[in-house]
Amino acid sequence: MSDNHEWDSFATNLAALLYRSPDTTILILDVGERFLDFSKSGDCLVVNVCDDLSEFGRRYLRDAGWRAPESGESTWRCGIWEPEPTDYRTIALAMVEVLRQGFSVTSPMDVHLDGWVDGDPDCELPLGQLRASDLPPAVGEIQALLSIAEMLLSDHWWLVTAVRYSLQNPAESHHFGPWRGFLSALGEPYFGGLGVLAQFDWKQDPDQVRDMLQRLPSHPGGLSWEWYPGFAATTADWHSGDSTVAFLDRVAEHCRALGFALVSFDTDSDDYAVTFLPIRQVERLSVLTAEAGRRVRALPFHR
């Protein structure tokens, strides 16, 4: 019989996979004739569970507010509109409970996995992430990178498993090495990242950079942008690269007054990878980044 640690790991990996997977993802977990499935569509996550359940399983879903099968149907159904990161963790834990108590599954290894992205036959879901507990222990550079990920994902620690899988699984690893793979895993959601870092070109329009910064989960709640229209008017005729540097410096000055730093990670290129971080954590971040053989610096660029 599988222990709780294996099921906890499976739930964590399932939550991370669901969160990171593209829209129109279909994921099916089955054990023989019994199954449960997930479908992402736009702003909604829909979960179906077949009615071949123990009495405990039916009572568990009923008490959680799931819609019971109606006439001619054979599945329980739950829809979550505009799911937050914690919703993925919550539904993954609930479905592990269904597998264990509703389907009487003794081990995650007994669960068959299948999934795809509708409309994108070239996009392959990293189903192996659900077996990420099989990965070797992280050491050296990888261990340092995962420690950074834990710091940046402290509110949603379970997402670190997605970063670990992308760094340690040969099929997922970045062709430019672990550091670029790390930046990609935490970068823009459009490119499959977790949206923890804002990534943009050195001469990106400040309007677009501002939008990226405002979407970051780490964006300080009290950070005002009332100054921005005046800045945009003043720098309208500047070279785009100069206005981007000046913009980032100005943002850094404003967030420092709130106890936050705007930090920029070394990218080995002319693009940026930045995020907000409490000032008290900058020194620790610098140490971990150095352990990975890289550099991070708190802005502004010019003192």
Side-chain angles (χ1 to χ4, degrees):
M1 177 174 289
S2 180
D3 60 22
N4 288 332
H5 175 74
E6 288 180 313
W7 280 111
D8 288 344
S9 178
F10 186 81
T12 296
N13 295 333
L14 175 59
L17 175 63
L18 288 170
Y19 178 80
R20 196 181 180 194
S21 62
D23 287 345
T24 73
T25 288
I26 306 294
L27 177 63
I28 302 171
L29 311 183
D30 68 76
V31 185
E33 298 297 319
R34 295 169 297 174
F35 69 90
L36 57 90
D37 64 59
F38 307 84
S39 61
K40 294 178 71 173
S41 178
D43 295 329
C44 187
L45 172 67
V46 176
V47 189
N48 295 291
V49 175
C50 78
D51 192 38
D52 185 8
L53 289 161
S54 67
E55 184 54 38
F56 171 90
R58 292 192 179 94
R59 185 172 63 253
Y60 180 82
L61 294 179
R62 186 181 302 112
D63 292 346
W66 285 53
R67 195 194 76 181
E70 298 179 352
S71 178
E73 296 182 337
S74 60
T75 59
W76 292 73
R77 186 179 182 89
C78 174
I80 304 173
W81 292 97
E82 298 183 347
E84 297 291 333
T86 52
D87 292 323
Y88 290 97
R89 173 73 174 163
T90 299
I91 199 67
L93 288 170
M95 292 304 93
V96 162
E97 193 69 11
V98 168
L99 288 168
R100 298 184 72 178
Q101 305 295 336
F103 290 169
S104 300
V105 181
T106 58
S107 168
M109 297 304 295
D110 296 331
V111 180
H112 178 262
L113 314 172
D114 194 13
W116 60 90
V117 179
D118 268 354
D120 190 352
D122 296 327
C123 183
E124 185 174 349
L125 289 179
L127 297 179
Q129 183 176 316
L130 292 176
R131 314 293 191 201
S133 57
D134 296 335
L135 295 173
V139 296
E141 179 184 8
I142 300 297
Q143 185 178 39
L145 295 177
L146 293 180
S147 295
I148 297 172
E150 289 173 358
M151 176 182 291
L152 300 183
L153 291 163
S154 59
D155 289 340
H156 307 297
W157 57 268
W158 45 273
L159 287 173
V160 175
T161 188
V163 181
R164 181 186 177 204
Y165 185 73
S166 67
L167 293 178
Q168 290 190 275
N169 178 45
E172 294 289 314
S173 58
H174 198 282
H175 56 280
F176 285 129
W179 179 250
R180 288 301 301 196
F182 167 79
L183 297 179
S184 296
L186 293 177
E188 291 296 322
Y190 180 81
F191 298 107
L194 294 172
V196 177
L197 300 178
Q199 294 174 295
F200 47 90
D201 188 70
W202 69 279
K203 55 182 179 179
Q204 192 100 13
D205 186 280
D207 282 354
Q208 297 172 331
V209 178
R210 179 194 56 179
D211 291 344
M212 293 179 186
L213 295 181
Q214 290 176 325
R215 288 196 298 268
L216 288 174
S218 58
H219 181 276
L223 184 59
S224 171
W225 294 90
E226 293 181 358
W227 56 271
Y228 182 72
F231 171 87
T234 300
T235 60
D237 296 329
W238 291 18
H239 182 277
S240 54
D242 293 335
S243 61
T244 300
V245 170
F247 168 76
L248 293 174
D249 284 354
R250 184 71 65 86
V251 175
E253 292 167 359
H254 280 272
C255 69
R256 275 188 173 275
L258 301 173
F260 283 81
L262 180 63
V263 295
S264 177
F265 289 86
D266 178 19
T267 65
D268 291 333
S269 184
D270 57 6
D271 58 337
Y272 289 96
V274 305
T275 194
F276 298 100
L277 191 72
I279 290 175
R280 66 180 184 277
Q281 295 183 1
V282 170
E283 183 176 356
R284 175 60 177 161
L285 177 63
S286 297
V287 170
L288 291 172
T289 307
E291 289 178 3
R294 298 291 173 164
R295 184 173 63 133
V296 63
R297 53 181 170 173
L299 304 183
F301 289 101
H302 310 296
R303 302 301 183 193

